Amino acid sequence: MGDKPTLFIVDDCAAYKVLISIMLKKAGYEVRSFESAELVLSALETDIPDMIISDLEMPYMDGLDFFRVLKRQGYTYRAIPFVIISSIENESRIEEVQRVSKRPLIKKSIPMSAIIEKIREILENPSVSIMNDSLKKTTHKY
């Protein structure tokens, strides 16, 4: 898609989606934002991003369900680093997400600079967040 890493951001909160998109663009990323997982699924038919960052709590298809759908789609989608981001503070829900998805959950409450740094770290070492079944024992909590 270009020289810059391309990130797909999916979040039903327009204000947060705009904020994180602006900050990631300033950090040197190409960003496409979506208001629903269904729209990302349509975009994936023609474009494959370097990472998908999905809000956890969204109507119709939440971030965890979106993760499950992509994982069933085959190797092309499973090789995309997938990060769940959320404003939830419920520790049992956070543990459930990490247990089911086996990938990082980044809290929206941390400073934007820290979120961007976590994204940079994952892009530099995508094995921590790709949908590879061999990583089931890997857990990350940001």
Side-chain angles (χ1 to χ4, degrees):
M1 293 178 89
D3 293 344
K4 299 178 186 179
T6 301
L7 311 178
F8 281 10
I9 308 292
V10 57
D11 197 317
D12 61 315
C13 176
Y16 189 80
K17 186 173 51 188
V18 168
L19 173 66
I20 195 169
S21 294
I22 289 169
M23 298 304 290
L24 288 168
K25 286 177 184 177
K26 285 183 178 181
Y29 299 104
E30 186 74 34
V31 177
R32 288 188 56 195
S33 61
F34 304 86
E35 64 186 40
S36 72
E38 293 85 358
L39 292 172
V40 176
L41 289 170
S42 293
L44 287 171
E45 293 176 12
T46 56
D47 297 319
I48 302 296
D50 295 290
M51 176 184 282
I52 296 173
I53 302 166
S54 176
D55 185 25
L56 175 62
E57 297 179 312
M58 297 182 292
Y60 311 113
M61 185 185 309
D62 71 16
L64 198 52
D65 289 336
F66 179 36
F67 165 79
R68 289 176 176 132
V69 167
L70 284 179
K71 186 168 177 163
R72 287 192 302 262
Q73 295 295 319
Y75 178 77
T76 300
Y77 297 151
R78 292 194 327 207
I80 303 169
F82 188 96
V83 175
I84 296 174
I85 191 165
S86 182
S87 59
I88 65 167
E89 297 295 331
N90 180 319
E91 287 299 319
S92 63
R93 178 71 169 139
I94 292 169
E95 289 172 10
E96 174 195 8
V97 169
Q98 291 177 322
R99 181 179 41 77
V100 171
S101 70
K102 311 297 185 232
R103 68 208 53 263
L105 183 140
I106 298 175
K107 293 183 178 182
K108 290 181 179 180
S109 60
I110 67 173
M112 187 61 67
S113 59
I115 292 172
I116 291 169
E117 183 57 33
K118 298 298 180 193
I119 290 167
R120 182 174 285 118
E121 289 173 11
I122 293 166
L123 282 169
E124 290 173 0
N125 184 16
S127 65
V128 300
S129 62
I130 60 172
M131 296 182 217
N132 185 336
D133 290 333
S134 67
L135 300 174
K136 286 194 178 213
K137 294 183 182 178
T138 304
T139 57
H140 302 276
K141 188 172 185 177
Y142 293 119

